Amino acid sequence: MGKIAKAAELLDFLVNPSRDIELFGMFGPGNLGDEAMLVAALDSLPRRRCTPWQSYPNRPALNRLIRNRRRRHLLVGGGTLIHGGRTGWLDYVEMRSRQGARVSFFGTGMAFTDEQIAGESEAFRRWRAVLDRSQEVHLRGPQSVELCRRMGVQADIFGDFAFLLHRPDIPVRDHGARSDAIGLNVGNCLGDQAAYEEACVALVRHLHSSHRLVFYVVVDTDMAATRRVIERAALPEDGFSIERHYFDPYGFMRSIRNLRAFIGLKLHAAGLAMIAGVPALMVAYQPKSRDFMAPLGKAEQLLIDVPVEAGELLSRAADLLDRPEDFLVEDRIAAIAADQRKKLEAVYMPG
């Protein structure tokens, strides 16, 4: 986007009264999962009323002007935004809540340590106050809802915001018509990285003997781990390809829709594969993976927890390829997405 277009967009953000729904999330830095929330919101709500949260590095005066621009609604969307760490997210949502904005949470995740809960850390207390004042609190999964309950705030399960990206024309219904390629997503597991990569190398070597492999990188910082696994597996150049998908969830789903199967580490790599109707296995590298999967009803089957051993990963991959129909949850996602749209319509398009 050029400078003139950016300036026009900013001016519209500041002065157009019809743009009364501000979308708040972690989108912007090149992470497909975070971008999915923004795309899903813009596709599910009246676009003429929506404006993404904006921040300009090294422009404090402009950021103050943006912060003080009141909006009727603040939609806090996907991602684990509610947690005990120090971020500007809490500061901004708290400020907008105090300004009188109608704050609503949809598909947001929560993460607090037992110590932060028992000791009622500053972030815990501040988030509790914001949530208690909010108009709507609909969270990603049962883990987040339980944490909210421990705060003394009522919430329900919305499901991941990315479920709203479901489109019936993307999934391939005839499994026999799929290609023989396997999609893989590897990256930083935030745990025993060496053991995780060792298991991935064993998996890649095994799959390469009978399948073409496509590596999907959905967060730019995961490229180094991806290349390490490829190099250690000694794959020939004609035996694999690498695709980068950081901003366009629909482009990603269309790219993977014909795959035989998908095995992914990052929540929204495997998650978007499931939304696209691809038989998929998710490596659960954080509790949020189970929070995502719980509403789908197949968590134990579609998840494999870190730390993961090579033998276990190979066994679960064999199950995926032998019984792909057991790893499909697209119909369940479609039903959840329909309910999600009704909840959004009730808040933002009543009557």
Side-chain angles (χ1 to χ4, degrees):
M1 183 183 295
K3 291 183 178 180
I4 294 177
K6 287 183 178 180
E9 183 182 70
L10 175 60
L11 181 62
D12 190 54
F13 172 87
L14 294 172
V15 305
N16 188 343
S18 68
R19 293 195 178 274
D20 63 336
I21 305 173
E22 185 178 5
L23 307 174
F24 186 82
M26 293 186 284
F27 40 83
N31 181 320
L32 184 65
D34 295 333
E35 294 300 314
M37 173 262 159
L38 177 59
V39 174
L42 292 174
D43 281 358
S44 304
L45 297 165
R47 189 168 292 218
R48 68 186 181 279
R49 292 177 55 195
C50 295
T51 183
W53 169 71
Q54 302 188 36
S55 180
Y56 292 82
N58 304 317
R59 296 288 188 274
L62 183 56
N63 285 331
R64 281 196 297 272
L65 180 62
I66 291 171
R67 285 196 301 269
N68 291 327
R69 175 65 177 90
R70 294 175 183 265
R71 299 283 170 183
R72 184 184 181 195
H73 296 283
L74 181 72
L75 190 163
V76 183
T80 309
L81 289 167
I82 308 170
H83 61 74
R86 292 184 176 275
T87 72
W89 302 324
L90 171 54
D91 295 337
Y92 189 79
V93 177
E94 184 179 61
M95 180 201 70
R96 296 293 285 113
S97 178
R98 287 174 173 170
Q99 285 179 339
R102 300 176 68 181
V103 179
S104 296
F105 293 80
F106 288 96
T108 322
M110 297 182 69
F112 289 93
T113 66
D114 289 338
E115 291 77 14
Q116 290 167 342
I117 296 170
E120 296 209 352
S121 67
E122 178 188 6
F124 184 87
R125 287 184 282 106
R126 290 171 63 193
W127 274 119
R128 178 172 59 197
V130 169
L131 288 162
D132 194 47
R133 288 195 299 266
S134 295
Q135 180 189 20
E136 305 280 341
V137 184
H138 309 281
L139 303 179
R140 180 168 54 205
Q143 171 185 282
S144 296
V145 168
E146 172 60 19
L147 283 174
C148 198
R149 186 197 64 78
R150 294 175 70 178
M151 283 182 166
V153 178
Q154 183 72 26
D156 67 2
I157 297 174
F158 184 75
D160 194 275
F161 212 95
F163 292 159
L164 286 160
L165 294 169
H166 175 269
R167 297 292 180 271
D169 61 313
I170 293 180
V172 174
R173 310 294 177 181
D174 181 5
H175 192 71
R178 295 181 178 277
S179 74
D180 200 37
I182 307 294
L184 297 171
N185 163 255
V186 301
N188 299 314
C189 74
L190 306 182
D192 189 337
Q193 187 70 21
Y196 162 72
E197 290 187 17
E198 183 177 349
C200 289
V201 169
L203 175 67
V204 167
R205 287 173 175 165
H206 174 73
L207 293 175
H208 170 64
S209 63
S210 52
H211 302 279
R212 184 172 65 85
L213 304 181
V214 185
F215 292 85
Y216 290 88
V217 184
V218 299
V219 183
D220 57 2
T221 52
D222 284 343
M223 181 59 76
T226 302
R227 293 198 178 280
R228 282 197 303 270
V229 168
I230 291 171
E231 290 171 4
R232 287 187 57 196
L235 293 181
E237 288 294 328
D238 61 352
F240 72 94
S241 59
I242 300 176
E243 293 194 19
R244 300 169 178 83
H245 293 266
Y246 301 150
F247 296 100
D248 181 3
Y250 288 125
F252 173 76
M253 288 193 289
R254 291 190 178 98
S255 175
I256 67 173
R257 65 191 294 268
N258 286 302
L259 293 175
R260 176 72 50 184
F262 191 96
I263 302 171
L265 172 74
K266 291 303 162 72
L267 186 155
H268 284 101
L272 287 170
M274 295 172 188
I275 295 168
V278 179
L281 179 66
M282 181 186 294
V283 180
Y285 75 111
Q286 281 191 313
K288 66 180 181 180
S289 300
R290 290 194 169 273
D291 215 27
F292 173 97
M293 193 63 65
L296 303 182
K298 286 189 174 183
E300 297 310 316
Q301 185 168 351
L302 274 63
L303 285 178
I304 179 169
D305 290 306
V306 170
V308 56
E309 296 181 352
E312 182 183 12
L313 186 56
L314 289 171
S315 176
R316 296 294 297 280
D319 292 341
L320 173 66
L321 295 173
D322 290 343
R323 302 190 308 278
E325 65 280 358
D326 291 344
F327 291 80
L328 294 173
V329 286
E330 184 247 332
D331 287 347
R332 175 61 182 150
I333 290 171
I336 292 173
D339 288 340
Q340 290 176 326
R341 290 189 183 95
K342 289 178 182 178
K343 288 182 178 180
L344 290 173
E345 289 170 2
V347 174
Y348 299 109
M349 296 168 277

